Amino acid sequence: MTSGSQRKDRVVVSDSSPLIHLSQIGRLNLLRELFEEILIPPAVYREVVLEGQGRPGSREVKEASWIRVVGIRDERLKKILQLQLDEGEAETIVLALEVDADLVLLDDREARLQAKRLGLRVSGALGVLLRAKKLGLIESLREELNKLKETGFHISKS
């Protein structure tokens, strides 16, 4: 399934936004096809499954055996990150650092910047779609991007 430049990332941590947005366009399954397992921190599970009950992503994430909730240990770093980020984003970054993630999925611009500053490799819903297109898992990237825009997802011109 993957070529030399498209290795399958083994340890992938996700924030809520990529899970929700990919669910909204019926493409959460791409995460399963691209990555072995997705780890999420408790705050992301709460946001997507419990607080988001009845909304896109809630049932899909709850039922996905390949999405695993993993608690964080470094509450101090979480509190520092929460000075600029929400709880889910902060826990996602802390978890990614703690498990030495190959990739962290974040859509929020500030969260992505913070993660990169801490040495993490970052992607998001757009990156997942792009990777899926390169591997032939989706037919039309433009069509998927249009669906994503319809959900209110912001895509910059660049």
Side-chain angles (χ1 to χ4, degrees):
M1 181 194 324
T2 59
S3 65
S5 65
Q6 290 292 332
R7 70 181 173 82
K8 194 164 189 176
D9 294 300
R10 299 183 72 86
V11 182
V12 179
V13 177
S14 183
D15 184 34
S16 56
S17 177
L19 300 174
I20 291 167
H21 285 101
L22 290 170
S23 291
Q24 284 180 307
I25 65 170
R27 292 297 191 174
L28 186 68
N29 66 309
L30 289 175
L31 294 177
R32 177 67 181 124
E33 293 181 49
L34 293 169
F35 312 116
E36 292 182 14
E37 181 179 54
I38 302 291
L39 304 180
I40 60 173
V44 168
Y45 184 85
R46 261 192 320 277
E47 186 179 333
V48 176
V49 176
L50 304 177
E51 295 164 10
Q53 193 169 14
R55 286 187 245 152
S58 177
R59 182 181 47 78
E60 296 88 340
V61 169
K62 184 178 183 179
E63 294 174 0
S65 61
W66 46 272
I67 296 177
R68 190 163 53 100
V69 180
V70 177
I72 64 161
R73 295 182 304 277
D74 194 342
E75 289 291 330
R76 188 167 165 258
L77 178 56
K78 173 186 165 181
K79 284 184 181 8
I80 291 168
L81 289 170
Q82 278 187 274
L83 295 173
Q84 296 181 347
L85 307 175
D86 73 26
E87 185 181 23
E89 293 160 350
E91 281 193 11
T92 296
I93 291 171
V94 171
L95 180 59
L97 290 167
E98 290 179 348
V99 299
D100 194 23
D102 295 313
L103 186 66
V104 61
L105 301 176
L106 294 157
D107 287 328
D108 178 78
R109 185 174 174 274
E110 186 58 37
R112 293 168 68 92
L113 289 172
Q114 290 287 354
K116 286 177 183 176
R117 282 185 199 120
L118 292 167
L120 294 168
R121 203 169 128 243
V122 178
S123 189
L126 294 177
V128 168
L129 292 174
L130 187 59
R131 189 183 285 205
K133 174 62 178 159
K134 285 180 182 175
L135 294 173
L137 299 174
I138 59 173
E139 213 168 286
S140 168
L141 181 60
R142 174 171 277 131
E143 203 174 291
E144 299 301 327
L145 294 179
N146 286 338
K147 286 182 198 173
L148 206 51
K149 283 183 197 174
E150 288 171 14
T151 70
F153 189 90
H154 174 73
I155 300 174
S156 71
K157 296 288 183 207
S158 60

